[in-house]
Every structure is written in C-alpha cells, then in structure tokens.
Amino acid sequence: VVLLLEPSTGKIVDANPSASAFYGYSTEELLNMSIDDINMLTKEEVADKRIQILEKEQEHFTFPHKLKNGEIRMVDVYSSPIHFNERTVLFSIIFDSTKREEAFNEIIHISYHDYLTGAYNRRFFEEEFERLNTKANFPITVVMGDVNGLKMINDTFGHLEGDKLLKDAVKRI
C-alpha cells in the first residue's frame, strides 16, 4: 500500500490501487480523505508523527488503521519526505502487521499467565512485587494458597478432573 500525504494537513494526495483494495475505499474516496480519517490515534498524535517524518527524526511507525468496513488493522508505516508535483509530500509505504502484533500480544499474555487456568503466574507476581515494593505502598501483603489433595484427585479421578478442580478454584478465588 502506498499513500502520498500532505505533511501539514495529512490530506491524502495520491493512493495506489493496493491502498484502495486494502482500505476498501475507492481511489476517489481516498483522495477526499485525510490520514486522520484512517489512523486511530488522535489528530494531535498523527500530526506529531508527520512532523517527525518531515524533519527526518523517525521514519517507521506502527499504527492502528480503520478500514471502510470498520475493521481495525495494525500497520507498519515507513515514510519519507519527497518532492512530488513541485511540493514536498510524505511518501508512505504501509504493510499490514496485524498477525505479527497479535502473535506478539499472545506471547506476552502466555509469559505472564498460567496456560490452564489463565491466572497470573509466578513471573507476573515477582515483577509486580518489584514494581510495587516501595515505601509509598507499605505495608505490602502477599496471600498465597494451595489446592490440597490435588495429587490424590489426579491419581484417583485422572488429570482432566484435577484440571477442572484447579480451574474452579481459580474461578472462585
């Protein structure tokens, strides 16, 4: 996807056919829009990013973009100022990165949650304790629990029943 943007307003100056296919708008519709109509950040944040690109402070961003059908897609935007029709515009190449972002978020979730129960794991509690262990938060209390007899349940009724017991215990806690 390629879009050319007017730096000060964010108005879409030109769009390739892939932009129309991706966003679901006709080229004519896109040319009557601003990037603010697509980007899910505030207008101020998007304007700030355009200035960073124009001043060559940064050239890559990841944004949530809204398609015509209302779907939100995460996109990587690589942008650079160029001269086009005797003016400076932002040449932006856009890649759909939704699946990568979803996979990354899943990895983060798995690293802080128990796979079976969804409860926070030891890593989460250790990091939270370090973060919260300040004088302003004193006194800190950590309450721990144990499901008694789980080995006996697993040995007698099987691991599926033990798993059900653990899930129920987490749900009740």
Side-chain angles (χ1 to χ4, degrees):
V1 173
V2 175
L3 294 176
L4 298 182
L5 307 175
E6 202 287 317
S8 62
T9 64
K11 180 175 178 358
I12 299 172
V13 176
D14 201 2
N16 71 350
S18 293
S20 294
F22 178 70
Y23 290 110
Y25 294 100
S26 69
T27 301
E28 183 178 302
E29 288 174 307
L30 285 170
L31 296 180
N32 287 309
M33 297 172 68
S34 164
I35 196 64
D36 295 331
D37 300 323
I38 294 171
N39 198 311
M40 298 300 298
L41 301 180
T42 66
K43 290 183 181 203
E44 294 78 20
E45 289 173 306
V46 178
D48 183 54
K49 303 299 182 199
R50 289 194 312 267
I51 291 168
Q52 288 179 17
I53 294 164
L54 191 59
E55 294 177 356
K56 298 184 180 183
E57 293 174 2
Q58 191 167 348
E59 61 185 24
H60 170 259
F61 300 94
T62 300
F63 295 118
H65 277 192
K66 188 174 185 178
L67 310 184
K68 186 175 184 177
N69 66 10
E71 183 180 357
I72 307 296
R73 305 294 291 180
M74 292 303 294
V75 297
D76 287 335
V77 179
Y78 296 87
S79 197
S80 181
I82 64 166
H83 293 289
F84 176 77
N85 288 344
E86 299 182 22
R87 64 180 170 167
T88 299
V89 297
L90 302 180
F91 178 78
S92 298
I93 302 173
I94 301 163
F95 299 94
D96 187 354
S97 61
T98 304
K99 288 183 181 179
R100 185 196 71 220
E101 291 292 319
E102 288 171 351
F104 177 76
N105 290 336
E106 180 66 17
I107 289 168
I108 296 297
H109 180 81
I110 288 170
S111 69
Y112 290 104
H113 293 83
D114 176 69
Y115 177 76
L116 177 65
T117 64
Y120 288 115
N121 62 19
R122 179 180 176 157
R123 178 181 181 187
F124 172 82
F125 283 108
E126 287 174 353
E127 289 184 18
E128 277 298 288
F129 184 77
E130 284 298 316
R131 186 180 70 80
L132 295 171
N133 190 13
T134 64
K135 286 184 181 183
N137 290 327
F138 284 175
I140 293 178
T141 302
V142 177
V143 179
M144 299 177 77
D146 186 22
V147 178
N148 291 328
L150 185 60
K151 181 175 176 6
M152 185 175 66
I153 298 290
N154 284 337
D155 291 347
T156 306
F157 299 106
H159 287 277
L160 288 178
E161 288 302 314
D163 289 352
K164 286 181 188 176
L165 177 71
L166 275 175
K167 289 178 188 176
D168 187 52
V170 167
K171 182 178 171 185
R172 290 173 188 267
I173 292 170

